Amino acid sequence: MPPGGGAIRVLNVAEKPSVAKSVAEILSRGGMQSRAGRSRYNRVFEFNYAIGAQACHMLVTSVTGHLMELDFDDRYRRWYSCDPAELFHAPVRKAVPQDKQDIKRTLEEEARTCQWLVLWLDCDREGENIAYEVVDICAGANRNLNIWRARFSALIPREIHEAVQHLARPNKLFADAVDARQEIDLRIGASFTRFQTMLLKDAFVLDVSGEERNMVLSYGPCQFPTLGFIVERFWEIQAHEPEEFWTINCSHTSDEGTASFIWIRGHLFDYSSAVVIYEMCVHEPMATVQNVRNQEKLKYPPYPLSTVELQKRASRCCRMSSEHTMKVAEELYQGGFISYPRTETDSFSPNTDLHAIVREQVDHPDWGTYAQRLLNPEERLWRNPSNGGHDDKAHPPIHPTKFSTGENNWSPDHKKVYELVVRHFLACCSQPAVGAETTVEVDIAGEQFNASGRVVLAKNYLDVYRYDSWGGSLLPTYTIGQQFVPTSLTLDSGVTRPPPLLAEADLLSCMDKAGIGTDATMHEHIKKLLDRCYATKDANSRFSPTNLGEALVMGYDEMGYELWKPYLRAMMEADMKSVSVGTKSKAQVLEGCLQQMKACFLDARANKVKLLDAMGTFFARSNRPINETQNTIEVVRPCGACNDSEMLLKRRPNGGFMVGCRGFPQCRNVVWLPGSLAEAAVTQQICPTCIPGPVYKIQFKFNRRDIPPSFDVDHLGCIGGCDDVLKELTEMSRFQHHNQTTMPARSQSQTQTTSTSGVRQGAPRQDLPTGSRSTGQFANQHTPAVNPQGRGQSQTPSGVGVRQGTPRQDLHTVFRTASQFANEQQTPGVNPQGFRSTHTGLTQNSRNASSSGQVLCTTCGEACINRTANTEANRGRKFYKCQNPGCGFFVWEDELDNVAPRGRGRGSRGGGRQASASAGRRGGGRGRRGRGNADAEGMTFVSATGDTVHGCCFTCGDPSHFANACPNR
């Protein structure tokens, strides 16, 4: 259809295909033409129309909900690509997914030929956000578009024509509020979900869904507080202790009926007191009427219907879940039978023609008669609806928009929801029910009892609103001063009962009051709990937590965090509202919220043992080996061995680091990293030389005590082969490990697992290139404490004592080893010899060594103090000891010249480190039960003060510890 003369082309975009069709049918009055778009589900309708005095050629098409998705960049999208903590600041982008590219192309093609863009999206924050997604696409194709917003609440001619003739501009603040919420939910949800799943899924047997290997332990900022309400009520029930009580019941029967009187005390928990009072009443049973009150009571109709109230009442009255209720209501809205079902408003505008809405229902066979009475002034039944006090400024309360006695394609649930909406609307336009209530108070032996009765004088709105009831027993006539003897007077017992499980309506009320979610999303959070097997719902729509749901809440509760409480999310929702009204910016809300939640995440991860303990309360530990899902794993480079997977940075069970193929065990390509590493994290920097790429550089942090002083602790390196620093440290670690490793005789299968270089035999290994430097050269340059034969002090037992007869030139190695052992064990108050530090038998020498002959500690370089031994075996013998209590360096003065050089030198310090590491890890292998180290047999160990040490490790022969604390067990 060609446009009329002088007409402008107007592109109209609705949120769903059905809405686009309804808008086109209403505006064209059926005279439209239809053609296919790029997407077969989103057709384009064309017709001529006039907006004000402007002739228009209208093109109406649609999207299907959100056109774009917010997600992380590809670098962070995979679960094991980064530390979950990085997701709080990782780059995100909003883009059109592949399955909606056809819709995007339709919008771009149509926008290029149009002058106006009219947005027919739902008139709430979410709809406004989708509107700006459409604007981004269309304005990208045509920057000269004049952009307008149509605001409507029902797909009926009156609303649609009114909307197109009073176009407005879209609200950017509403869109910003949704953008902020989406980004917050994405970052928090992804980080905690990855953390929980990687930590717990393989650690426990969690066969709760039948697909254990594929299950996701999700966390959502709204989902978890919703689960918290369920768990908290469940804990209240579990903590309830039944307690027996006693109460006195009284009844009186006359010709007019029976009145049941209730004891004003309610009940007593003390049996003796209850018996005493009861016997008083039995002894003087005459009841005297002290007061009779007759008063009119009103029962008011409900407020106009909001989304949350619709879900609550459908749950109570129709036994429908909130999720199903919203699905049915959405279908009724798209059919034009009810107004927009997502609204917080519970008060009608004064401009709404309520009589016209009632008039459309007068022909209904069930409630048509009541609608006629409501419109009849003589009935005096009409009452303007009460104001519930909530107005979202977008949509009116939910009300009927079209008459129907039931369509052919309606299910019974469609009829139930439509009937609920109509009856609720008629009820809120009606007078309240009127009743007469009588209260009688009597006295029996000084104890007060009362009885109440009610009679309904005018039902009014109760005639149509069958979901409410109001009544009571009719009391006999009593007058003040009247006396009678009760027909029965009994002492009854009962037991206190716990509160019931949360019903769905109650759960929705909790969420609504706490500000958890929006009216349009509450049902989604509830459904998510059921889908994730965090909670179950019984036939009465009451919720119970599963073991999994309870364990997760318990774990965070034990940490002291209230992540399962509604407070944090309520604050977030309040911030979103502030963005939507312009009192806070999107950037402010994002920065504050994400900073707070990242701190919670880091603390939670540091206290993950409590989450593990909570899970262990409900689930058995898995016998599966620790795999990559339980460690921080980051992609470093493509695998050059299998060319089918990626090399990942992994933390090994022993605390070390490696870069291995994701395809293990099919591909065994691995790069072993230095054992001196303390921390490692993949960065976004790519090595410009190494191939195949990209090869991401790694930020390394080394243990200072395990590397020579000439090397920096922090190093940004590459594992591709171009990094000379990493080559040297790796070779140093390998050589050191070669000289430290002794393997006892094992079974053949065990012997094959590890070689002297620490690499699995038979497994391909990708070593860092070492250049032309040989192992011997490396050892000669960097480990002066190792002898020329390439061996460390193999005769020196690990630990703490000094073997009598040991060559003096090796003593400083032994003492360095002792101090290292003390530092590694970090046992306060214990010296390197393994004995608790006291000053008994020692006298402080009044002098230190002179400045020219000062003795320096070979471990930390500090000046030593001179002391004199006062033990029986070495009385008067002088020795030097480091001033640092945690160091433990020791040397006899008469052996000083042969033990260590005076002064502070890089070579001796570095050599001390290398030799001590070698000596400290030797001393025998595992499994040699019944005797200590072979080298220690027949030898005597002495402490630093010369006393003989009795007893040693049963496993390795080290006198510094016993077998139960042996590091070589």
Side-chain angles (χ1 to χ4, degrees), residues 656-678:
F657 289 88
M658 61 179 285
V659 177
C661 182
R662 187 196 293 272
F664 180 85
Q666 287 74 23
C667 178
R668 297 175 178 265
N669 190 18
V670 63
V671 176
W672 301 108
L673 296 177
S676 53
L677 265 180

Side-chain angles (χ1 to χ4, degrees), residues 867-879:
R867 290 184 174 177
T868 302
N870 196 28
T871 61
E872 183 176 351
N874 294 281
R875 193 180 309 278
R877 192 178 182 188
K878 292 181 170 55
F879 62 93

Side-chain angles (χ1 to χ4, degrees), residues 303-314:
Y303 292 124
L305 194 60
S306 64
T307 301
V308 176
E309 199 62 30
L310 170 65
Q311 296 175 44
K312 289 161 59 176
R313 292 184 180 265

Side-chain angles (χ1 to χ4, degrees), residues 279-553:
E279 289 179 348
M280 290 170 50
C281 294
V282 171
H283 185 70
E284 299 179 8
M286 184 63 67
T288 302
V289 179
Q290 293 187 319
N291 192 14
V292 177
R293 293 196 305 273
N294 294 297
Q295 55 183 346
E296 184 180 81
K297 287 285 187 180
L298 300 177
K299 183 174 179 64
Y300 287 91
Y303 292 124
L305 194 60
S306 64
T307 301
V308 176
E309 199 62 30
L310 170 65
Q311 296 175 44
K312 289 161 59 176
R313 292 184 180 265
S315 175
R316 290 188 184 125
C317 307
C318 306
R319 298 294 180 183
M320 293 173 59
S321 70
S322 56
E323 187 265 340
H324 185 56
T325 298
M326 293 307 299
K327 179 178 180 296
V328 172
E330 180 70 23
E331 293 171 355
L332 291 175
Y333 160 71
Q334 293 181 18
F337 295 100
I338 65 173
S339 63
Y340 188 62
R342 293 181 174 87
T343 177
E344 298 176 6
T345 305
D346 55 8
S347 58
F348 282 104
S349 166
N351 300 325
T352 305
D353 190 350
L354 302 175
H355 287 82
I357 300 175
V358 174
R359 198 173 294 116
E360 293 179 348
Q361 300 294 328
V362 295
D363 294 329
H364 198 278
D366 293 332
W367 52 78
T369 303
Y370 185 86
Q372 290 176 339
R373 289 178 54 206
L374 199 57
L375 295 171
N376 187 354
E378 296 181 358
E379 292 281 345
R380 296 183 179 181
L381 189 57
W382 181 274
R383 174 178 174 271
N384 287 329
S386 300
N387 188 335
H390 301 91
D391 188 356
D392 59 14
K393 307 297 182 183
H395 296 284
I398 304 170
H399 61 275
T401 55
K402 186 192 296 185
F403 172 80
S404 177
T405 57
E407 305 300 307
N408 293 331
N409 62 340
W410 280 11
S411 68
D413 288 338
H414 286 79
K415 295 179 181 178
K416 289 179 182 178
V417 173
Y418 181 74
E419 179 179 357
L420 174 60
V421 171
V422 175
R423 288 185 182 273
H424 193 102
F425 172 75
L426 296 176
C428 70
C429 295
S430 304
Q431 292 287 346
V434 181
E437 187 174 275
T438 301
T439 302
V440 179
E441 298 176 0
V442 300
D443 178 277
I444 302 175
E447 292 298 308
Q448 306 297 314
F449 298 81
N450 59 41
S452 296
R454 183 188 304 112
V455 58
V456 178
L457 303 178
K459 296 185 69 175
N460 295 333
Y461 90 93
L462 292 175
D463 283 331
V464 71
Y465 204 64
R466 60 187 183 86
Y467 312 107
D468 277 0
S469 61
W470 194 45
S473 58
L474 185 64
L475 292 179
T477 302
Y478 293 97
T479 58
I480 297 177
Q482 177 183 347
Q483 292 187 328
F484 60 87
V485 176
T487 306
S488 68
L489 191 64
T490 58
L491 178 65
D492 299 324
S493 65
V495 177
T496 57
R497 298 183 181 275
L501 292 169
L502 277 179
E504 186 158 7
D506 300 324
L507 181 57
L508 288 165
S509 295
C510 292
M511 297 172 68
D512 187 34
K513 291 177 181 177
I516 300 300
T518 64
D519 55 338
T521 61
M522 289 181 185
H523 65 283
E524 296 175 358
H525 304 316
I526 295 175
K527 183 176 183 297
K528 183 71 72 175
L529 295 181
L530 301 176
D531 293 343
R532 295 298 187 199
C533 300
Y534 290 170
T536 58
K537 185 170 68 170
D538 61 21
N540 296 320
S541 294
R542 295 190 179 275
F543 291 89
S544 299
T546 62
N547 288 342
L548 179 58
E550 186 178 359
L552 291 173
V553 171

Side-chain angles (χ1 to χ4, degrees), residues 819-888:
S819 70
Q820 185 185 40
F821 177 81
N823 290 335
E824 290 175 352
Q825 296 299 308
Q826 295 180 349
T827 307
V830 179
N831 63 23
Q833 286 70 35
F835 301 98
R836 191 157 301 279
S837 176
T838 66
H839 294 285
T840 304
L842 298 179
T843 59
Q844 175 68 48
N845 196 303
S846 60
R847 65 170 182 88
N848 288 337
S850 65
S851 58
S852 61
Q854 190 177 44
V855 176
L856 303 181
C857 174
T858 59
T859 302
C860 58
E862 300 296 329
C864 295
I865 56 176
N866 186 232
R867 290 184 174 177
T868 302
N870 196 28
T871 61
E872 183 176 351
N874 294 281
R875 193 180 309 278
R877 192 178 182 188
K878 292 181 170 55
F879 62 93
Y880 285 93
K881 181 178 181 180
C882 183
Q883 300 183 65
N884 183 359
C887 176

